[in-house]
Amino acid sequence: MTLYTLALDHLAEGVLLLESSGRIVYANHQAAMLFGHPADALAGTTFSAPIRTTGPVEITIPRTDRRPVIAEMQVVPLQAETDTLSLVSLRDMTGRYEAEAQLRESEATYRAVIATANDGFWLTDATGQLLEVNDAYLRMTGFSRSELLGCRPDFVDADEDADAVRARMAEVLESGGAMFETRHRTRDGRIIEVEVSVSFAPSIADGRLFVFIRDITPRKRAEASILAAKTAAEQANHAKSEFLAAMSHDLRTPLNAIIGFAEMIQMHMFGPLGDEHYEGYIADIHASGELLISLVDDLLDLSKVEAGKFEIQEQVVVVPTVMALARQQTATMAAEADQTIVIDHADDLPSLRGDQRALVQVFYNLLTNAIKFNRPNGPIRFTAALADDGSLEVRVADEGIGMSPDEVTKALKPFEQIDSAHARKHKGTGLGLYLCVQIMRLFGGKLTVDSTPNVGTTVMLWFPPTRVGAPAAVEAEAGDTA
């Protein structure tokens, strides 16, 4: 082995010496490695690659193990005594090609993941300038890609201005990443709740930020609904606790009166029956009993309403008759409070299709509330009229202490009573107005309250045209004829 061949065998590149016919005269060790054959086995074989090139070319070298080798070939002509030889150098490029293929595959995978992601994606530089945005974020906000590229986060962030964004960017660059919630503006002016996840890659270019953005508006709405429901449940539970505390007192007071006065009568405290003291006790016993019945009736009606068992008995109801009956039932209470209930309705007022007992209860509850909270010696106007659309409207109006909008809302809830010195003077369950609302719903109607503090309150009952019948007088005549 000559010194020259020894040096060629230690080269990192493959070397072939070819005759003009393409026959291999010499192959070094690295060439043998590229072809997958011993060097002496290559000698005498024909090299099929072109041997006339003006510059480097890439070729594929077939191997017996079917593993293709990609090589960069450089050919240099050599003039010998009897023939023109070619010196072929072969540089193995397989590894570079495999790396490039892997890189292309990696980039294609990356772009596919970003393009098909359900979450929005930004690629920004270290200053936050937007370099790339995926279609999901464009769909999320309605912006076009050209409108966003080159912008910074404060262009869409509804909660943070440019200074706040720079401060957050500084934190991200220092910590390497962050996750937070904010709000983004959409192109049509809506505001969406978003969850942002940021990762900083300092080794890419001059630093790149990978930002994933998830629309969490539905989740936030659900959380708000759950919180509102939880708050409402806690308020309802608190109201029920207060109701039970008040109810225990309201039940105990008349019961103590009934038992106490009954024992005094039983023991003939003032002598034989007939003493005037006993008359007062009997009146107190009667009043206490009526209060207990009222409390128990309200609770029973509430339980029926909440269980869906409060049924409306369909019948023809003469509204003026029911109004007069409700005024009669509250006459004693009105007289004791120096109140006057004034009924006003047309003579040909149509009748209603509904439940007279339930309607009497509604009128009674509204009148008792008006009596309790009216001003001294003030009138209570109890009116009924037919509306232009064929519906029937009944109003109970007083000139009493009135209520604020918040107090009206509270009064329409079960177990709620307005927290005022005037309200605390009057016993009750706080269920009357709520039961009226529920009964009106069963009628297919509604109850509304118009109230102003220190001016008065008007409660309006609306009955749909489908429940309004012929004039009461006509129906009465028809009934007499039958």
Side-chain angles (χ1 to χ4, degrees):
M1 179 180 291
T2 68
L3 180 62
Y4 296 108
T5 57
L6 180 62
L8 290 174
D9 276 341
H10 284 78
L11 287 178
E13 297 179 358
V15 176
L16 298 176
L17 187 62
L18 307 178
E19 294 178 342
S20 58
S21 63
R23 190 174 70 89
I24 299 174
V25 177
Y26 167 77
N28 74 345
H29 177 72
Q30 184 60 30
M33 296 292 292
L34 291 175
F35 281 88
H37 294 285
D40 54 359
L42 289 176
T45 62
T46 301
F47 183 56
S48 60
I51 59 174
R52 292 182 179 85
T53 63
T54 58
V57 295
E58 291 181 353
I59 64 171
T60 301
I61 300 174
R63 291 169 53 93
T64 55
D65 59 6
R66 298 185 181 276
R67 183 178 70 84
V69 173
I70 300 173
E72 182 183 80
M73 182 179 71
Q74 181 81 37
V75 180
V76 178
L78 299 175
Q79 186 64 43
E81 293 179 359
T82 60
D83 194 4
T84 300
L85 303 178
S86 297
L87 180 66
V88 180
S89 65
L90 300 169
R91 178 179 297 176
D92 190 354
M93 305 296 290
T94 307
R96 191 188 76 179
Y97 269 82
E98 290 177 349
E100 290 177 350
Q102 290 176 355
L103 180 60
R104 288 193 296 271
E105 182 181 356
S106 177
E107 289 180 350
T109 302
Y110 155 77
R111 292 190 176 278
V113 169
I114 297 305
T116 59
N118 291 324
D119 293 338
F121 173 79
W122 290 353
L123 176 66
T124 80
D125 62 16
T127 68
Q129 185 173 349
L130 194 58
L131 304 176
E132 186 178 335
V133 59
N134 71 345
D135 291 342
Y137 188 76
L138 300 180
R139 291 192 298 269
M140 189 187 304
T141 60
F143 287 106
S144 66
R145 186 169 276 103
S146 61
E147 289 175 312
L148 293 176
L149 295 182
C151 295
R152 286 183 169 79
D154 54 281
F155 177 74
V156 294
D157 201 305
D159 289 342
E160 297 183 341
D161 56 18
D163 292 338
V165 168
R166 280 193 293 270
R168 188 185 291 277
M169 290 288 300
E171 294 177 2
V172 170
L173 296 180
E174 182 179 354
S175 63
M179 179 177 287
F180 56 91
E181 293 179 3
T182 185
R183 299 186 305 157
H184 280 190
R185 283 183 290 266
T186 64
R187 198 176 191 279
D188 59 7
R190 294 181 298 109
I191 300 296
I192 59 173
E193 304 276 352
V194 295
E195 181 182 75
V196 181
S197 176
V198 187
S199 298
F200 178 50
S203 59
I204 301 178
D206 56 349
R208 291 291 183 264
L209 290 169
F210 298 90
V211 185
F212 287 90
I213 304 162
R214 173 169 295 179
D215 184 356
I216 58 172
T217 305
R219 189 186 80 191
K220 284 293 185 179
R221 288 175 180 169
E223 290 175 355
S225 298
I226 292 172
L227 181 60
K230 179 176 179 292
T231 301
E234 290 174 349
Q235 290 176 344
N237 185 60
H238 179 68
K240 284 189 177 183
S241 297
E242 290 186 341
F243 164 77
L244 291 174
M247 178 61 67
S248 63
H249 176 269
D250 289 342
L251 289 174
R252 189 181 295 111
T253 299
L255 280 173
N256 286 337
I258 291 172
I259 294 171
F261 290 134
E263 286 180 349
M264 294 181 72
I265 294 173
Q266 185 180 33
M267 295 171 62
H268 297 244
M269 185 70 68
F270 296 96
L273 295 179
D275 188 280
E276 62 180 10
H277 288 84
Y278 298 133
E279 297 294 330
Y281 294 162
I282 292 172
D284 289 336
I285 291 173
H286 183 267
S288 298
E290 285 188 331
L291 177 59
L292 283 175
I293 289 174
S294 175
L295 295 175
V296 172
D297 284 346
D298 282 351
L299 289 173
L300 290 175
D301 287 340
L302 176 64
S303 64
K304 289 179 181 178
V305 166
E306 292 186 341
K309 295 182 179 180
F310 194 104
E311 297 179 355
I312 294 294
Q313 302 297 324
E314 299 292 344
Q315 58 188 150
V316 176
V317 178
V318 181
V319 178
T321 301
V322 179
M323 294 172 71
L325 181 58
R327 181 173 64 175
Q328 179 182 347
Q329 291 182 351
T330 57
T332 301
M333 181 179 180
E336 292 177 350
D338 293 327
Q339 307 289 333
T340 303
I341 300 174
V342 180
I343 294 180
D344 183 21
H345 58 78
D347 292 336
D348 59 347
L349 190 70
S351 62
L352 280 177
R353 181 173 55 84
D355 188 324
Q356 179 166 314
R357 180 193 64 82
L359 195 58
V360 169
Q361 182 176 357
V362 171
F363 289 173
Y364 174 86
N365 287 349
L366 298 184
L367 288 176
T368 55
N369 277 347
I371 293 169
K372 289 178 183 179
F373 301 108
N374 198 18
R375 64 178 175 83
N377 302 317
I380 297 172
R381 291 178 297 279
F382 190 15
T383 62
L386 191 66
D388 293 338
D389 62 356
S391 61
L392 184 67
E393 297 177 352
V394 178
R395 286 180 169 84
V396 176
D398 64 58
E399 299 177 358
I401 61 173
M403 294 179 287
S404 67
D406 289 341
E407 289 175 331
V408 170
T409 301
K410 187 175 183 180
L412 291 171
K413 293 180 179 179
F415 309 112
E416 299 278 7
Q417 289 180 305
I418 300 172
D419 188 18
S420 68
H422 189 94
R424 284 191 292 270
K425 293 179 182 178
H426 304 282
K427 298 177 180 179
T429 61
L431 296 174
L433 202 56
Y434 174 75
L435 286 172
C436 291
V437 171
Q438 302 307 313
I439 292 173
M440 287 303 297
R441 286 180 180 172
L442 295 176
F443 277 120
K446 61 184 177 181
L447 179 150
T448 58
V449 179
D450 181 15
S451 188
T452 303
N454 302 317
V455 175
T457 300
T458 299
V459 180
M460 194 271 281
L461 305 175
W462 179 84
F463 297 89
T466 54
R467 285 201 170 271
V468 180
V474 174
E475 291 186 352
E477 291 174 3
D480 292 341
T481 304

